[in-house]
Amino acid sequence: MLAVLKSCTLSGYEGVLTLVEVNVARGFPHFDIVGLADTAVKESKERVRAALANNGFKLPSERITVNLAPAAIQKHGPGLDLPIALGILAASGQIPATDRLLDTLVTGELSLEGKIRPVKGVLSMAIAAAKHRFAAMAVPRENAEEAAAIQSVQVVPVTDLKELVAWCKGLMDIEQAAASSRREESAKSGGNLAEVKGQLGAKRALELAAAGGHNLLMVGPPGSGKTMLANCLPSILPPLDSEQSLEVSQIYSVAGLLPHGRLVTEPPFRSPHHSASLGGIVGGGAVPRPGEISLAHQGVLFMDEFPEFSRSVLEVLRQPIEEGRITIARTKSTHSFPARFLLVAAANPCPCGYYGVEGGKCRCTAGQINRYRGRFSGPILDRIDLWLDIPPVSYQNLRQRGKEEDSAAVRHRVQAARSIQQRRFGGSQLNAAMNTRQVEIHCSLDQAGEAMLGAAFRRLGLSARAHQRILKVARTIADLAEREQILIEDMAEALSYRSLSWQGDDCN
């Protein structure tokens, strides 16, 4: 006898409908799973065997074949345990093949005693269920609030195998799960710009970065406040809209970082250590999972001690910075993850951190300094819009008792500038993501601005990419001032962010 149940597996961060076809036929007792199943799925045979026995059901002493379709997609993880168990019960006649059973998308891991354990990626599975117009979805109770964020699907939270079998038979009703009214905020520092003494230029650069989505590089000695400034950036970013929140929450769900089923509503802030591996930053593994750059999607990726990251890590940033996605290729499949983040990089002027600092005593040799600065490759620097020198904080600024502008006031200006961009582009796109055609349309200059940009292009030896990025920054400066026309002072400020104090220094 044949039974076909519906489940879901993950491909990248998206859910893919999976048919669990179970056939029980006469023959030598054997239990086989086919359909490009990985080790975790193949091991479900033993979990299902024990769970059925410990709950009063029988594993048929016949030939059991489980086919997972479509066969071309790799199946991984323990989420197929539950539909395989139910398929065996239905195909062997131990439970009736009711509409409830056959028309419900089912996922969950089975323990040996028949308890149903939570699985990763349930939010993506719920989105797939809604896409394929499933009326109901049975999920582990711990995943219920997460799945209930998709309100078009009835979410049935289940605790154990017996409970789900009783519901499928119509012997009991299970209260539908509701979406949580609380929402999980991404971990962030909670820093406030009012706590930062002095550094008016850096605060202005942070405001520009937040308003237009511009990448930022800060170079300064230890203790100048680079990390503190970066930690304040999330406090001036607007909350995610509903579409962004759902996409970011999908990524966190697949990574197993979405606690209590609450959606992420605040821009993520990720700060990986400089010793992080390429796989940790980009994502990957035998079963590709999101890395730090995808976990920072629609938020901030802060890379402190930027030159200390491996060269391979720095160079791999090029694709996501340009395209907003990262593609991970494997022998059997290729996965793509969203990765549109605001990069904030921080570095010292030299390995010890005190080269060129007034009163500082640099211990580095010329060779060490040149090698350190050589890690700032041209292609990566070209993709960073704002370059900023962070000077040491003066004693007068540290002891100043005047009230500093807090993050709420800056966030209000950032939101106003982003509203202008939303009206301009008709969506959530920011100035930093403008293509060449959009730059031509929205970044026109007057005669004085053209002359200034042309002179700077020749004097600084700018690339075509740097030219585009300067125009985008100037557009954001004008947006913050609520001006349609980019003025010469906007261009002057934008150009001031394309040089560092140590550029051109000869350390030999």
Side-chain angles (χ1 to χ4, degrees), residues 452-464 466-467 495:
M452 177 178 285
L453 180 57
F457 187 89
R458 291 185 292 272
R459 178 171 54 86
L460 299 176
L462 299 175
S463 68
H467 165 265
L495 287 169

Side-chain angles (χ1 to χ4, degrees), residues 111-173:
S111 72
L112 299 186
E113 62 177 336
K115 298 292 184 183
I116 300 175
R117 292 172 172 160
V119 294
K120 296 178 181 179
V122 166
L123 180 59
S124 295
M125 297 179 189
I127 293 173
K131 177 182 176 181
H132 291 280
R133 302 184 183 278
F134 281 91
M137 178 180 184
V139 302
R141 190 167 295 275
E142 290 87 341
N143 293 127
E145 284 189 11
E146 179 182 340
I150 309 303
Q151 299 180 1
S152 60
V153 179
Q154 177 189 353
V155 177
V156 181
V158 288
T159 305
D160 55 46
L161 182 59
K162 282 185 175 180
E163 181 183 28
L164 180 56
V165 168
W167 179 81
C168 291
K169 289 180 175 180
L171 301 178
M172 68 177 294
D173 289 324

Side-chain angles (χ1 to χ4, degrees), residues 29-47:
H30 188 67
F31 190 168
D32 198 17
I33 298 178
V34 298
L36 210 57
D38 72 354
T39 302
V41 177
K42 289 184 178 295
E43 288 176 347
S44 69
K45 291 186 290 187
E46 302 308 319
R47 292 190 293 271

Side-chain angles (χ1 to χ4, degrees), residues 365-408:
T365 66
Q368 289 174 326
I369 295 174
N370 288 331
R371 281 193 298 272
Y372 182 80
R373 293 177 179 178
R375 296 174 186 170
F376 294 92
S377 74
I380 288 296
L381 280 178
D382 228 18
R383 288 168 168 81
I384 298 179
D385 302 356
L386 307 170
W387 305 351
L388 194 66
D389 284 306
I390 307 292
V393 183
S394 67
Y395 179 79
Q396 289 76 12
N397 283 331
L398 283 176
R399 302 302 298 167
Q400 184 178 345
R401 292 292 184 268
K403 184 174 176 60
E404 301 277 353
E405 186 177 38
D406 68 7
S407 293

Side-chain angles (χ1 to χ4, degrees), residues 1-6 22 86-104 165 167-170:
M1 184 175 176
L2 175 68
V4 181
L5 275 75
K6 284 83 173 180
V22 182
L86 291 176
I88 291 173
L89 293 177
S92 61
Q94 297 182 65
I95 61 173
T98 63
D99 290 341
R100 268 190 175 184
L101 174 64
L102 301 181
D103 296 335
T104 299
V165 168
W167 179 81
C168 291
K169 289 180 175 180

Side-chain angles (χ1 to χ4, degrees), residues 439-446 450 475 484-486:
V439 171
E440 291 177 356
I441 296 172
H442 302 295
C443 300
S444 59
L445 303 176
D446 58 18
E450 287 282 3
R475 177 69 270 167
E484 181 61 32
Q485 179 65 37
I486 298 175

